[in-house]
Amino acid sequence: MGKKKKAAAEEKESEPYGTPSQYDARFNGPIKNRSCTDIICCIIFLVFILGYMVVGIVAWLYGDPREVIYPRNSTGMYCGVGGNDVKPYVFYFDILKCISPTGILTTALNGLQCPTTQVCVSQCPTEFFLPVLSFVPGIKVSDVFQQRYCNPMLDLTTTTLTVQDILAKELCPSYTVPSTAFFGRCVPKFDGIEYPQNFSIGGIDPGNATADAVKEATGNLLDGFNAKELGMRIFEDFTKSWHWILIGLLIAMLVSLLFLLLLRFLAGIIIWVLIFGLIAVIAYGIWHCYWEYDRLNNIGATITDVGITTDFQVYGQVKETWLAVLIILAVLEGIILLLLIFLRKRILIGIALIKEASKAISHIMSSLAYPLLTFVLLVICVAYWGMTALYLATSGEPLYRIVNLGSADPQCESILGNETCNPMTYNVSASSCDQAKCVFYKYNDEGLVQRNLFNLQIYNIIGFLWCMNFVIALGQCTLAGAFASYYWAFKKPQDIPYFAVSSSFMRTLRYHTGSLAFGALILTIVQVIRIILEYLDHKMKRFHNPLTKFLMCCLKCCFWCLEKFIKFLNRNAYIMIAVYGKNFCVSAKNAFMLLMRNIVRVVVLDKMTDLLLFFGKLLVVGGVGVLAFFFFTARIRIPDPNFQAPILNYYWLPILTLVVGSYMIAQGFFSVYNMCVDTLFLCFLEDLERNNGSPERPYYMSKSLMKILNKKNKAPKGEAK
């Protein structure tokens, strides 16, 4: 007898996917008395977060995001902020030099700074002006130039400089043309502007020739495009339609919620309709292929008449193509029918679990609000990463250098553009070159922070991915704990704990931060490798040969599959952590073994759930999108003027906003539902292995599941009839 028990035990231990879970009289749902797991990883994660905060502080101290927000003048001062808060635009004295630079500046500064004086102005010029034409002996410079377009260090009312001196030192522009603001910079207008016949700059023929030169210099940036006008129109459309957009998003939320609750009653009908609809579509495809094959066979069109060609449309005119498609569809139809016959019981189990998930959500309605917390945390992660990256990219003190603004004077040849200066103390009269200026060069990249800028950006990316994956893991584990407490409540809803979501959230944070960080770290490493592969692929495109392309494609495909597998494994590991309170590795192993022991049920339920949720998203997003289209295009006639669509510049704008918003709302609701189904499924498998329906070991599953499996709970002897 002892030998038989020993042999049975050895046989169980030798099972490829472990032994089934054993009955434990103390287990009745998520473990309450648990201890902290993966403490080392928790400490590493907390230290990493502290380091991430230090990186953010360093970036904030050394960075200056105004570089990418506000334009600069020649001295490196920002326009539209600080002392120039009423002067948001940069005006170029000679726009031709920005595209066709001359002199030493281009070589010295590698074209990074436009070789002409730039000043901040409150508004761009609106008229043609050539002060050269106004040279009259004794004329005041204030009658020639406009103070608002001149160097602010020059006061036209008190200066003793002549017009020629001011032009030589580039203290005022030598001409102005009607301009418009484009991303904070004054660039010439072209639409509806006719250049005067006597207007000539840079020795170019007057009139049209000058206009063509200006247009070529500016690259025709505003040809048919006005960014400010577009932005104003979009803003105007949002102000007219924002309340209708909110109503549409509310409808999407209500439809999503209603769909999830109705699945409790309609899940079976919807799934069978979808399955038989798929069978009917394939059957129609088989009939259509046979009809085309028969028609072409009577004509006598064969593949031998066509041969090999790159025009794939030709293959649709030969009978062999339709015969091949017919065979493929027939085989697919046969496989589906066989699966339907042999897996009908598992399909019924999946339908029952989906119905049970809808019932669980109806008892724990607070779970539907949890995605809002996840969304807020993810927004914080994205915002912190973006701001840190921006501040790091603009870190360093601004550097200024003395440059020659294009003068061919021999006295300016000694200015090589490598001498530093301070724009606040620089004195142009001390230089032998009249057109020497102290201009902004670049940000200092030789400091400690700047030398390690690449490393800090890598740290920022890893921190962003790790935090994002941790937030998602926290949401999955929290919801798993709440839904597991529902399944393991023997008497529903009496035994369901109050505040199931909040208690699961606190329990997860208190005991399992390390385990969630461990799982998130594994996923982050794979994602970083994928980013590196994409970067290498982008950089090596010019050097690719067929072999390297094949290897790179294989690597990218393998790591994509690995990421999908790790996400699947992590998701089920978090469910086991929420229920049993074990560390990540043990939970991942137990979840994997449990799923492999029931692999057919896993595949059937997973595909059924995907099909159902896809149909739900299609219903919500498609329904709201179609309704929005008919409403905003005024195809729905409503007599009441208060409920009529507003007149918009771009009617597609609120429609697109509603479609994207509806998808995000549906994704939030259905992610809760998906997590509920997965949690109940794992608990169901554990229930089957732990219990046998006896009074001492009763099943916790619903009566519908027990009916499908031909199982039932036996009544205690005292209650037996």
Side-chain angles (χ1 to χ4, degrees), residues 297-372:
N297 187 43
N298 294 331
I299 297 174
T302 64
I303 192 70
T304 56
D305 299 331
V306 177
I308 300 176
T309 178
T310 56
D311 187 2
F312 293 103
Q313 293 182 352
V314 176
Y315 290 109
Q317 306 300 320
V318 295
K319 65 178 184 179
E320 287 83 0
T321 301
W322 293 101
L323 179 61
V325 177
L326 186 150
I327 294 173
I328 293 172
L329 291 178
V331 171
L332 184 61
E333 185 87 334
I335 292 174
I336 293 176
L337 289 174
L338 289 174
L339 291 176
L340 192 61
I341 293 171
F342 291 104
L343 299 179
R344 63 187 185 280
K345 190 173 182 179
R346 289 179 172 85
I347 294 175
L348 292 174
I349 293 174
I351 292 173
L353 281 170
I354 290 172
K355 290 181 178 179
E356 194 67 18
S358 182
K359 191 185 299 184
I361 291 176
S362 65
H363 287 300
I364 310 176
M365 292 294 290
S366 57
S367 62
L368 293 175
Y370 188 85
L372 293 176

Side-chain angles (χ1 to χ4, degrees), residues 184-198:
R185 291 159 178 83
C186 294
V187 295
K189 288 182 180 179
F190 299 109
D191 294 338
I193 300 297
E194 184 177 350
Y195 278 61
Q197 292 301 317
N198 61 345

Side-chain angles (χ1 to χ4, degrees), residues 52 81 122 244 246 261 268 287 407 497 503 573 630 662 684 700:
Y52 198 17
V81 67
S122 57
W244 294 113
L246 290 180
L261 296 179
W287 175 82
S407 174
S503 59
F630 279 98
S662 299
F684 164 73
Y700 285 79

Side-chain angles (χ1 to χ4, degrees), residues 473 476-477 480 515-516 519-520 570-578 584:
Q476 291 176 344
C477 196
S515 297
L516 301 185
N570 283 5
R571 184 184 185 88
N572 291 282
Y574 298 146
I575 296 174
M576 302 299 279
I577 289 171
F584 177 80

Side-chain angles (χ1 to χ4, degrees), residues 344-528:
R344 63 187 185 280
K345 190 173 182 179
R346 289 179 172 85
I347 294 175
L348 292 174
I349 293 174
I351 292 173
L353 281 170
I354 290 172
K355 290 181 178 179
E356 194 67 18
S358 182
K359 191 185 299 184
I361 291 176
S362 65
H363 287 300
I364 310 176
M365 292 294 290
S366 57
S367 62
L368 293 175
Y370 188 85
L372 293 176
L373 176 61
T374 300
F375 177 75
V376 170
L377 293 176
L378 291 178
V379 168
I380 292 174
C381 291
V382 173
Y384 186 83
W385 165 76
M387 294 301 296
T388 302
L390 178 62
Y391 273 83
L392 284 174
T394 57
S395 62
E397 292 293 326
L399 299 178
Y400 302 88
R401 290 191 177 182
I402 300 175
V403 298
N404 167 26
L405 294 179
S407 174
D409 192 332
Q411 294 182 340
C412 298
E413 294 179 356
S414 59
I415 300 177
L416 301 178
N418 55 7
E419 183 180 353
T420 60
C421 61
N422 186 339
M424 304 306 295
T425 59
Y426 177 73
N427 185 6
V428 67
S429 60
S431 174
S432 58
C433 179
D434 290 338
Q435 293 202 17
K437 299 290 181 182
C438 181
V439 300
F440 169 75
Y441 169 44
K442 66 174 184 177
Y443 282 95
N444 181 21
D445 56 2
E446 298 178 357
L448 178 63
V449 174
Q450 287 70 41
R451 289 199 302 269
N452 294 279
L453 188 60
F454 179 77
N455 297 330
L456 293 176
Q457 289 285 22
I458 294 296
Y459 194 103
N460 184 31
I461 293 174
I462 295 175
F464 166 68
L465 293 175
W466 198 357
C467 290
M468 290 277 287
N469 291 326
F470 178 82
V471 169
I472 294 173
L474 177 62
Q476 291 176 344
C477 196
T478 298
L479 293 174
F483 293 128
S485 64
Y486 166 84
Y487 184 93
W488 295 108
F490 189 71
K491 295 181 180 180
K492 301 177 180 67
Q494 294 88 344
D495 293 344
I496 300 175
Y498 295 105
F499 309 110
V501 175
S502 57
S503 59
S504 177
F505 177 77
M506 297 305 297
R507 186 167 60 241
T508 301
L509 271 185
R510 179 179 178 183
Y511 296 110
H512 306 302
T513 298
S515 297
L516 301 185
F518 190 15
L521 177 61
I522 296 173
L523 183 58
T524 299
I525 292 173
V526 175
Q527 290 172 338
V528 169

Side-chain angles (χ1 to χ4, degrees), residues 69-278:
I69 300 175
Y70 303 102
R72 286 175 175 271
N73 61 15
S74 296
T75 62
M77 305 299 291
Y78 294 107
C79 300
V81 67
N84 293 321
D85 57 340
V86 296
K87 299 177 179 180
Y89 310 117
V90 161
F91 170 60
Y92 299 92
F93 277 15
D94 190 354
I95 192 70
L96 297 181
K97 291 183 179 179
C98 295
I99 304 301
S100 303
T102 57
I104 302 174
L105 181 65
T106 306
T107 304
L109 300 186
N110 196 25
L112 296 178
Q113 184 74 11
C114 186
T116 186
T117 301
Q118 304 158 39
V119 296
C120 300
V121 295
S122 57
Q123 68 178 39
C124 297
T126 58
E127 58 186 13
F128 292 98
F129 184 60
L130 278 174
V132 178
L133 302 177
S134 304
F135 285 170
V136 177
I139 192 173
K140 296 180 180 179
V141 293
S142 57
D143 295 333
V144 177
F145 302 105
Q146 300 183 57
Q147 179 68 58
R148 58 183 174 180
Y149 298 132
C150 294
N151 192 315
M153 303 293 292
L154 174 69
D155 188 350
L156 293 177
T157 59
T158 60
T159 184
T160 59
L161 296 174
T162 64
V163 172
Q164 293 86 343
D165 294 335
I166 292 175
L167 290 175
K169 295 178 181 294
E170 273 204 23
L171 297 176
C172 289
S174 59
Y175 68 90
T176 64
V177 296
S179 304
T180 186
F182 185 77
F183 291 105
R185 291 159 178 83
C186 294
V187 295
K189 288 182 180 179
F190 299 109
D191 294 338
I193 300 297
E194 184 177 350
Y195 278 61
Q197 292 301 317
N198 61 345
F199 188 85
S200 174
I201 56 178
I204 304 173
D205 293 337
N208 293 334
T210 299
D212 292 340
V214 173
K215 179 180 290 189
E216 181 182 359
T218 56
N220 202 8
L221 292 175
L222 297 180
D223 187 14
F225 178 79
N226 192 318
K228 183 176 180 181
E229 182 181 357
L230 177 64
M232 290 299 295
R233 288 182 177 179
I234 291 175
F235 180 76
E236 180 184 3
D237 285 349
F238 273 120
T239 57
K240 289 181 179 180
S241 61
W242 67 269
H243 52 288
W244 294 113
I245 293 175
L246 290 180
I247 293 174
L249 295 178
L250 180 62
I251 293 174
M253 184 180 70
L254 294 176
V255 172
S256 300
L257 179 60
L258 184 63
F259 180 80
L260 293 182
L261 296 179
L262 287 179
L263 285 179
R264 178 176 176 180
F265 310 101
L266 302 177
I269 297 174
I270 294 174
I271 289 175
W272 286 118
V273 167
L274 292 175
I275 290 174
F276 285 111
L278 178 62

